[in-house]
Amino acid sequence: MITRYSRPEMRAIWTDENKLKTWLQIELLASEAQVKEGVVPARDFAKIKAGCDQWFADLPGLVARQKELEKVLNHDVIGFTTAVAEKINDDASRWFHFGLTSSDVGDTCYAVQMVQSADILIADVKKVRESIAKRAKEHKFTPCIGR
């Protein structure tokens, strides 16, 4: 995004930190669903969650590590999953990203970011509508030239 043409709250949605935070949330929700289905052991999920929680506390560190790994591994999601597996530091990490594709995570993240962005725009439109309604009522009897 071009900084001078975007507002801070909109820019924040499209940062690497927010993207990877959302990726973590998606991965945890998928793993949690697999626990409920009996695919992922609950004990392993607890270890996965603990590793993710460490990254939630250090999103800039996750971004830096993911980018570093991406250069070597030549894949953004593999860099991400490798960074998280390092934090999990247990065999339980084999269940992280289990059954998912890169597109599952990336596309879902884009959808979440679009909703976050739309929420800002919708709130803005509501404010504009209030202002326009106020001005319309104020000038409802103001003569104006028409064709």
Side-chain angles (χ1 to χ4, degrees):
M1 288 194 153
I2 300 172
T3 304
R4 69 176 175 261
Y5 296 126
S6 57
R7 296 181 358 225
E9 56 271 14
M10 188 65 80
R11 276 195 313 270
I13 291 169
W14 298 98
T15 61
D16 288 336
E17 285 85 359
N18 190 54
K19 177 181 76 174
L20 295 187
K21 175 183 159 195
T22 304
W23 284 9
L24 281 170
Q25 291 168 333
I26 292 164
E27 294 279 2
L28 284 174
L29 289 169
S31 292
E32 187 175 21
Q34 290 179 338
V35 169
K36 289 179 184 174
E37 292 296 318
V39 176
V40 174
R43 178 179 58 250
D44 287 348
F45 176 70
K47 293 175 183 176
I48 290 168
K49 184 157 179 5
C52 289
D53 286 347
Q54 289 179 37
W55 277 131
F56 278 119
D58 181 21
L59 289 172
L62 174 56
V63 171
R65 183 64 181 143
Q66 183 268 338
K67 286 188 179 298
E68 181 180 300
L69 289 165
E70 182 180 354
K71 288 178 187 172
V72 175
L73 300 169
N74 206 27
H75 197 283
D76 56 347
V77 177
I78 294 174
F80 165 74
T81 57
T82 303
V84 175
E86 291 172 351
K87 283 287 186 195
I88 296 169
N89 195 27
D90 189 274
D91 287 340
S93 66
R94 70 189 173 133
W95 297 109
F96 186 76
H97 196 71
F98 184 79
L100 299 176
T101 67
S102 298
S103 293
D104 292 331
V105 177
D107 293 350
T108 303
C109 180
Y110 285 132
V112 169
Q113 289 173 301
M114 292 297 289
V115 169
Q116 292 171 340
S117 297
D119 288 345
I120 290 172
L121 296 174
I122 289 166
D124 289 347
V125 167
K126 287 179 180 178
K127 288 179 189 172
V128 168
R129 283 185 64 205
E130 290 171 11
S131 296
I132 291 171
K134 180 180 174 185
R135 297 296 285 176
K137 289 174 186 169
E138 180 183 337
H139 292 284
K140 68 182 176 183
F141 296 115
T142 302
C144 60
I145 297 173
R147 293 185 187 185

